[in-house]
Amino acid sequence: YQSAYGVKSDLERCLQTKDHAPGGSGTLSELSFELAQHDLPGRFRLPQKLYGRRQELATLLAAFDRVSTHGTPEIVLVSGYSGNGKSSLVHEVHKPITGKNGLFISGKFDQFHHNEPYYALRQAFDEFVTLVLTEPEAGLHRWQQRIMDAVGNLGQVLLDVIPRVQLVIGKQPPVAEIGPQETQNRFQMVFQNFLTAIVREDRPIVLFLDDVQRADAASLVLLKAFLSDP
């Protein structure tokens, strides 16, 4: 459906069929009509279907299948001139990946936040938190336990960079202040433990980072660290 009016019209037709049955005992199994006959969109929209990129899509999905099968990380770089559909190409794999029980999360490096460490990664894992919060209570508890086991008493290190994770693991105890390099090394260790905890054989993760040419140095160091970790 492209409009609420179209949904409303069909639901009313269902209701009328039930009400007009003898004794009001009509069932929807007795109803047969073409859906969305009165579905009139309020504005003109161009279709989002991607054309002429079958080979590139196949390459991306093949990489996903390899990672799902063998459990080793891969990086795929999508390059091209601005505006030629790179982001649209990557987002086209969203449906088949989620259809295979994978998680698709994304972030975008922004020229106005170039000096803000881990900006795109925080966006992406904010999306991860949103997905986790939609799980049933039992599933949410499993995620919570898995992450807390991984970060131990250093959970605040993760929250300092990805504050929304607190919605999953709750408030964390403060950590000792150390030097800048030691702080970066500690975060790198905690983040890798966090990734190890959330990436499972039955739930591979696709992390899409847009405009990597604008990435900050800290993000690149972190990407190198966890891509080289078997």
Side-chain angles (χ1 to χ4, degrees), residues 27-48:
T27 65
L28 293 184
S29 61
E30 301 167 359
L31 183 62
S32 177
F33 68 93
E34 184 181 344
L35 296 175
Q37 293 181 73
H38 301 285
D39 187 28
L40 304 174
R43 54 184 171 173
F44 177 68
R45 291 183 181 179
L46 291 171
Q48 297 300 307

Side-chain angles (χ1 to χ4, degrees), residues 9 16 22 51 81 125-126 136 141 155 168 170 172 175 178 224:
S9 177
Q16 288 169 3
Y51 294 93
Y81 292 109
F125 286 96
D126 280 351
H141 179 72
V168 180
Q172 297 295 300
V175 293
I178 51 180
K224 181 180 179 182

Side-chain angles (χ1 to χ4, degrees), residues 51-211:
Y51 294 93
R53 295 296 178 92
R54 185 175 300 174
Q55 183 177 344
E56 289 85 353
L57 280 172
T59 300
L60 290 173
L61 290 173
F64 175 75
D65 287 338
R66 284 193 302 272
V67 171
S68 303
T69 303
H70 303 298
T72 53
E74 285 195 26
I75 182 170
V76 178
L77 301 177
V78 182
S79 61
Y81 292 109
S82 178
N84 72 348
K86 299 184 297 297
S87 301
S88 298
L89 170 67
V90 176
H91 282 289
E92 191 75 8
V93 303
H94 185 280
K95 285 183 179 178
I97 284 171
T98 53
K100 295 180 179 181
N101 211 32
L103 294 174
F104 184 98
I105 56 177
S106 63
K108 181 182 177 73
F109 289 104
D110 192 306
Q111 59 181 327
F112 301 111
H113 296 270
H114 180 72
N115 295 323
E116 192 174 332
Y118 314 117
Y119 180 75
L121 288 166
R122 184 170 67 251
Q123 282 184 320
F125 286 96
D126 280 351
E127 282 190 13
F128 167 77
V129 171
T130 299
L131 292 171
V132 167
L133 293 175
T134 65
E135 297 262 345
E137 188 173 346
L140 178 58
H141 179 72
R142 284 194 295 271
W143 283 113
Q144 179 189 55
Q145 198 59 52
R146 194 177 293 120
I147 295 171
M148 291 182 68
D149 289 344
V151 301
N153 60 357
L154 295 176
Q156 186 58 45
V157 173
L158 187 63
L159 299 187
D160 286 343
V161 177
I162 316 172
R164 287 201 77 216
V165 176
Q166 183 172 329
L167 296 174
V168 180
I169 63 175
K171 193 173 181 179
Q172 297 295 300
V175 293
E177 291 190 13
I178 51 180
Q181 186 60 52
E182 291 82 0
T183 297
Q184 184 175 18
N185 293 341
R186 182 174 64 182
F187 172 68
Q188 183 174 308
M189 179 195 71
V190 170
F191 190 79
Q192 285 185 257
N193 290 344
F194 167 66
L195 271 185
T196 303
I198 65 174
V199 176
R200 295 160 25 210
E201 187 176 350
D202 60 330
R203 297 298 297 274
I205 290 181
V206 174
L207 169 62
F208 170 43
L209 297 175
D210 208 353
D211 285 344

